[in-house]
Amino acid sequence: MNLSEIAGKEIVNLVTGERLGVIGECDLILDETTGDILALLIPKERGFFGLRKDKSVLEVPWRNVRKIGNDMIIIEYDGIY
């Protein structure tokens, strides 16, 4: 699968049903030798109408990805977001 094939897909947490973001807004941690995706870095943007955003990120290991569909990526993450 190419990066262009997952760009723009929404990330949804299977455990909470919460929308966490879009792949275009996230960073990826890659293995430099193999090119494999190791983790998703999802920005935590909490705030009122985009104000006072939390600048920290949620690191979700790629092994937590359960399904990549046409419009979204389903992850299973039971940590605190």
Side-chain angles (χ1 to χ4, degrees):
M1 176 175 282
N2 295 324
L3 181 58
S4 62
E5 294 176 306
I6 63 170
K9 294 184 188 288
E10 291 190 50
I11 303 167
V12 177
N13 187 354
L14 179 66
V15 176
T16 63
E18 184 178 16
R19 178 189 178 273
L20 301 179
V22 177
I23 285 292
E25 301 168 353
C26 300
D27 288 323
L28 301 174
I29 298 176
L30 302 173
D31 184 323
E32 293 178 10
T33 57
T34 64
D36 292 339
I37 300 173
L38 301 177
L40 298 171
L41 295 176
I42 304 170
K44 294 182 182 180
E45 296 185 2
R46 301 283 187 188
F48 185 69
F49 292 111
L51 302 174
R52 293 183 25 229
K53 291 183 180 178
D54 185 354
K55 298 295 183 187
S56 59
V57 295
L58 173 67
E59 185 174 334
V60 178
W62 188 252
R63 67 180 174 271
N64 288 42
V65 173
R66 295 298 172 240
K67 183 74 174 173
I68 300 175
N70 292 334
D71 300 322
M72 65 181 64
I73 296 175
I74 306 289
I75 65 165
E76 188 171 4
Y77 183 75
D78 56 359
I80 299 171
Y81 180 67

